Amino acid sequence: MQLTNRKKVIEQKPMTFAERIYFPAIVKGLRITLRHFFKKIPTIKYPEEIRPYSKNFRGQHSLKRDEEGRERCTACGLCALSCPAEAITMTAAERKKGEEHLYREEKYASVYEINMLRCIFCGLCEEACPKEAIYLDGPHVTADYLRKDFIYGKDKLVEPTFDITKLKS
Ligand code: SF4
Ligand code: SF4
């Protein structure tokens, strides 16, 4: 039974002499190939040549520290809520006495993970963060072999600490 009238009957015409010897088709193909010899090559010899990055480039996330080197993230979860790919997970913890130099606020993320295989680098987590704690200003996420190695934890995401005394000297 025919459900639509979109069916097309293809007519199988007998081949002409020119079609049977393939010569015109070969000439046509060669003409296209030759034309490409004189065109500007759109590809580059990576990694010897590198194209400049766009100003809007979004790379790997980094969890920022404040000017005193303390982690800015307060584990509020807004980044995870705004993530359309559900790539962010975290565990919140209370700051203990004596940890004021490590975490800026009373709550911090003891675990913060991003699944880089899910992330689409949309930047919504960066926009949602009220503490300016997360930015996609890192390099490319590099290739790897195992899925588990694409779950980036705090060891890869938190900015390295810096010695402020060295900056002053
Ligand atoms: S960049 Fe987009 S997809 Fe990636 S973690 Fe942030 S919100 Fe999710
Ligand atoms: S990175 Fe920002 S939005 Fe995400 S949990 Fe930390 S403070 Fe909240």
Side-chain angles (χ1 to χ4, degrees):
M1 193 178 66
Q2 202 176 318
L3 293 176
T4 65
N5 59 354
R6 276 177 284 165
K7 191 174 147 194
K8 234 186 194 175
V9 182
I10 310 284
E11 228 182 289
Q12 210 168 14
K13 284 191 219 149
M15 283 172 122
T16 61
F17 175 71
E19 282 168 343
R20 262 186 286 138
I21 60 169
Y22 293 111
F23 188 68
I26 291 169
V27 172
K28 197 176 159 193
L30 282 174
R31 225 177 43 222
I32 293 169
T33 309
L34 273 173
R35 217 171 42 226
H36 281 277
F37 268 118
F38 304 102
K39 278 195 177 168
K40 196 172 170 267
I41 301 169
T43 52
I44 57 162
K45 287 180 183 156
Y46 183 84
E48 289 84 18
E49 277 177 69
I50 294 174
R51 284 195 210 280
Y53 279 84
S54 152
K55 271 191 269 174
N56 302 329
F57 170 75
R58 295 194 196 107
Q60 189 189 306
H61 312 62
S62 65
L63 289 172
K64 299 292 177 192
R65 294 178 185 276
D66 67 4
E67 46 297 329
E68 289 172 40
R70 299 172 301 182
E71 288 180 23
R72 282 174 170 270
C73 177
T74 58
C76 66
L78 285 175
C79 51
L81 272 178
S82 67
C83 177
E86 298 187 355
I88 303 176
T89 50
M90 73 190 73
T91 308
E94 292 283 332
R95 186 179 71 186
K96 291 193 184 75
K97 218 166 174 251
E99 289 182 338
E100 292 81 3
H101 64 294
L102 297 174
Y103 312 110
R104 197 169 63 158
E105 301 196 23
E106 282 161 16
K107 219 172 108 197
Y108 71 96
S110 57
V111 177
Y112 190 105
E113 286 178 342
I114 302 181
N115 184 338
M116 291 300 174
L117 290 177
R118 296 191 76 126
C119 177
I120 52 167
F121 298 91
C122 62
L124 287 178
C125 48
E126 182 182 304
E127 275 178 42
C129 181
K131 301 290 176 186
E132 297 183 349
I134 188 165
Y135 284 93
L136 280 82
D137 57 358
H140 274 118
V141 173
T142 48
D144 221 319
Y145 294 101
L146 300 173
R147 282 180 170 267
K148 69 175 179 57
D149 294 334
F150 286 97
I151 314 280
Y152 283 19
K154 282 182 75 176
D155 54 324
K156 284 188 179 166
L157 297 171
V158 178
E159 268 189 327
T161 40
F162 55 87
D163 188 350
I164 200 142
T165 50
K166 277 187 189 159
L167 285 178
K168 282 177 182 166
S169 62

